[in-house]
Amino acid sequence: MIRVLLVDDQRLLRSGFRALLDLEDDIEVVGEAGDGLEGVALARQHLPDIALIDIQMPVVDGIEATRRIAADPALAGVHVVILTNYGFDEYVFEALRAGAAGFLVKDIVPEDFLHAVRVAARGDALLAPSITRKLIDRYVNQPLHTGTGNGTGLEELTNREREAVALVAQGLSNEQIADRMVISPLTAKTHVNRAMAKLHARDRAQLVILAYESGLVTPRGH
């Protein structure tokens, strides 16, 4: 059973999401909160698999709520998915830096919403290659080249793990990474997972950010 916490100050929107989720046999809504402070408290109380959190809320906003959840070892199993009205913007990037596993636009169609909840519950980052490319385009906006990646723990990675991380940062899926590295998709996934473990990254979203911040992947010409 996938346990979901809804955190949004719009009661009507929460009701709509809950109505969708309650129809699914494998999903249970364990709580609702109208602000980030209450959301963090309910996350600690119920230990949900997924916390769907709005960015802009009173008392404590979604970014700070995400940061508090990500920083709490007791909540390591909680995957935060950010809800936004605006698509990809600077708030989403900040939320990813804070520890979110991904994000959804609130006008998402029901089928995609339910699929996204299940993807996040598996521990996979809710950051499809197309979304990763938007992240890159928005905050880098230039072609990529691979740097040394020294610092911030990347020196602990093997050469193959570094290569896999660099390809994740370019928006490639495991299957595409496997093709590029001429390995099996399972081996590609293993490289990515080992890199996440060594770097203490919660998911692929964090790997993308670490790749840029460490210099493993940088805008060409920088």
Side-chain angles (χ1 to χ4, degrees):
M1 183 69 69
I2 300 171
R3 295 162 52 81
V4 177
L5 172 66
L6 299 173
V7 186
D8 195 300
D9 60 333
Q10 297 179 13
R11 186 185 299 273
L12 183 60
L13 186 138
R14 293 202 315 268
S15 297
F17 280 146
R18 180 160 200 152
L20 282 173
L21 295 170
D22 282 344
L23 292 174
E24 303 301 306
D25 294 335
D26 61 333
I27 299 175
E28 175 188 8
V29 177
V30 296
E32 296 184 32
D35 63 70
L37 185 63
E38 182 185 8
V40 174
L42 288 179
R44 290 172 176 150
Q45 177 182 346
H46 295 292
L47 299 178
D49 301 300
I50 304 295
L52 295 171
I53 299 181
D54 185 27
I55 284 186
Q56 296 180 319
M57 292 184 295
V59 187
V60 170
D61 65 22
I63 294 171
E64 178 59 26
T66 298
R67 188 175 292 114
R68 294 182 187 184
I69 289 172
D72 189 338
L75 301 180
V78 179
H79 304 289
V80 174
V81 176
I82 292 294
L83 299 170
T84 175
N85 287 316
Y86 310 109
F88 196 86
D89 57 27
E90 65 273 15
Y91 296 110
V92 170
F93 183 71
E94 191 174 350
L96 293 173
R97 289 171 60 100
F103 74 94
L104 294 174
V105 179
K106 290 183 180 180
D107 62 358
I108 187 172
V109 299
E111 295 80 8
D112 289 345
F113 171 69
L114 294 172
H115 174 71
V117 168
R118 294 185 173 98
V119 166
R122 292 199 303 264
D124 296 334
L126 193 56
L127 219 64
S130 61
I131 300 301
T132 306
R133 282 191 289 271
K134 288 182 181 179
L135 176 110
I136 293 166
D137 291 342
R138 175 64 178 83
Y139 292 96
V140 180
N141 201 30
Q142 293 191 39
L144 309 177
H145 78 272
T146 302
T148 60
N150 291 326
T152 65
L154 268 78
E155 64 273 7
E156 298 181 14
L157 303 184
T158 67
N159 289 337
R160 296 297 266 174
E161 288 165 355
R162 287 192 190 199
E163 185 178 357
V165 172
L167 294 172
V168 168
Q170 293 181 40
L172 273 62
S173 65
N174 286 340
E175 290 74 17
Q176 292 169 322
I177 291 171
D179 288 342
R180 187 75 65 87
M181 296 179 65
V182 195
I183 55 179
S184 72
L186 180 58
T187 301
K189 183 177 181 180
T190 298
H191 286 323
V192 172
N193 288 345
R194 285 178 178 170
M196 290 194 331
K198 289 180 180 180
L199 298 174
H200 306 289
R202 292 168 67 96
D203 47 50
R204 294 171 80 97
Q206 295 296 298
L207 276 187
V208 172
I209 293 167
L210 284 168
Y212 280 103
E213 293 185 335
S214 68
L216 178 65
V217 175
T218 60
R220 182 170 292 148
H222 282 211

